[in-house]
Amino acid sequence: MNILKELSPLLAAEARAEAHAAGIEAADLEQGVWLRLLERTRRTGPPAEPAAWLRTAVRTEARDARRRARREVPYDQAGAPAAAGGCPEPYAGPYAGRYAGAESEVESQVLAAEERRALRAAVRRLPGRCPRLLGALLSKTDPTYREIAGELGISQGSLGPVRSRCLGCLRRMLTAEIAAPDPWGRER
C-alpha cells in the first residue's frame, strides 16, 4: 500500500485542526509535514507507525510555526508608531527614515556609525586594488577622479569600470553575509 495515499486524508484532517491555532494555512502545514516525512524516509526509512508519527509531526510543525510567528515582525509594522500606553514616540530626526526602530537621535547616530564601520570592514576584505579604490571614493576629503587615478597609478578612464566591478563584488559579499542566518535563525 502506498504510504502517501494512506496518510493523505489523515494529514489533511490533522492539518486543518491545527492550522488555525498555528496561524498558518492548512496546506502550508501539510507541505511541511510531507517534507519532514521525506527527510525522515531518506535518513532512517519510513516510520514504524505512520499514523502516530504523522500526528506528532503535524503538532511539531504547528508548534514550530507558532514559534516562528512570535519571532517574526511583519515589515509593514516595523516602522509603525509606538502604541499608546506610556511607550515613547519613535525618533523623528534626520536618520528617522533609515532607522525606524531608533527612539533617539543618539541611537540613530550610533546605528549610522556602526553601519559605516561595517561597510569599511567589508571594503577592507575585498580582493586586489578594490579596498584602496573604494577607500579613496569613500574618503571624507572627496577627491576627484583625477586625484584618485594619480594616487592609485591607474588611468582615469578605467576608474569607472574598476569601481563598478568592485561595487559588484562588495554587493555579492554583503548579500551572502546578510542572507545567511546563523543556526539559531538570527541574522549575523
Side-chain angles (χ1 to χ4, degrees), residues 9-10 14 17 24 29 39 48 50 54 72 77 101 107 109 111 115-116 124-125 127-128 177:
L10 177 62
E14 291 287 330
I24 62 171
L29 196 55
E39 289 170 347
L54 184 120
E72 292 174 353
Q77 291 179 3
E107 184 178 1
Q109 290 173 348
L111 290 172
E115 188 176 74
R116 286 191 301 273
R124 283 192 301 270
R125 292 192 316 263
E177 289 177 4

Side-chain angles (χ1 to χ4, degrees), residues 90-100 102-109 112:
Y91 170 64
Y95 298 108
R98 185 132 175 113
Y99 304 105
E103 295 180 2
S104 71
E105 183 176 2
V106 173
E107 184 178 1
S108 294
Q109 290 173 348

Side-chain angles (χ1 to χ4, degrees), residues 30-54:
E30 283 184 55
Q31 185 177 16
V33 172
W34 285 129
L35 182 61
R36 279 180 187 260
L37 179 62
L38 177 66
E39 289 170 347
R40 185 193 193 287
T41 304
R42 285 184 177 169
R43 199 173 49 246
T44 61
E49 294 184 33
W53 179 89
L54 184 120

Side-chain angles (χ1 to χ4, degrees), residues 47-133:
E49 294 184 33
W53 179 89
L54 184 120
R55 286 184 181 98
T56 303
V58 168
R59 283 168 183 74
T60 302
E61 194 68 29
R63 183 182 63 238
D64 290 349
R66 284 191 294 272
R67 285 182 182 158
R68 279 191 305 273
R70 280 194 303 261
R71 286 192 309 244
E72 292 174 353
V73 177
Y75 180 73
D76 59 343
Q77 291 179 3
C87 294
E89 287 297 315
Y91 170 64
Y95 298 108
R98 185 132 175 113
Y99 304 105
E103 295 180 2
S104 71
E105 183 176 2
V106 173
E107 184 178 1
S108 294
Q109 290 173 348
V110 167
L111 290 172
E114 178 60 32
E115 188 176 74
R116 286 191 301 273
R117 277 191 295 273
L119 176 62
R120 289 193 183 277
V123 166
R124 283 192 301 270
R125 292 192 316 263
L126 288 171
R129 58 186 171 189
C130 290
R132 289 185 59 211
L133 173 62

Side-chain angles (χ1 to χ4, degrees), residues 108-159:
S108 294
Q109 290 173 348
V110 167
L111 290 172
E114 178 60 32
E115 188 176 74
R116 286 191 301 273
R117 277 191 295 273
L119 176 62
R120 289 193 183 277
V123 166
R124 283 192 301 270
R125 292 192 316 263
L126 288 171
R129 58 186 171 189
C130 290
R132 289 185 59 211
L133 173 62
L134 293 181
L137 290 170
L138 293 172
S139 172
K140 290 181 182 178
T141 61
D142 196 26
T144 64
Y145 265 35
R146 177 175 288 158
E147 293 169 338
I148 294 172
E151 180 183 326
L152 298 178
I154 59 176
S155 71
Q156 188 175 343
S158 65
L159 279 180

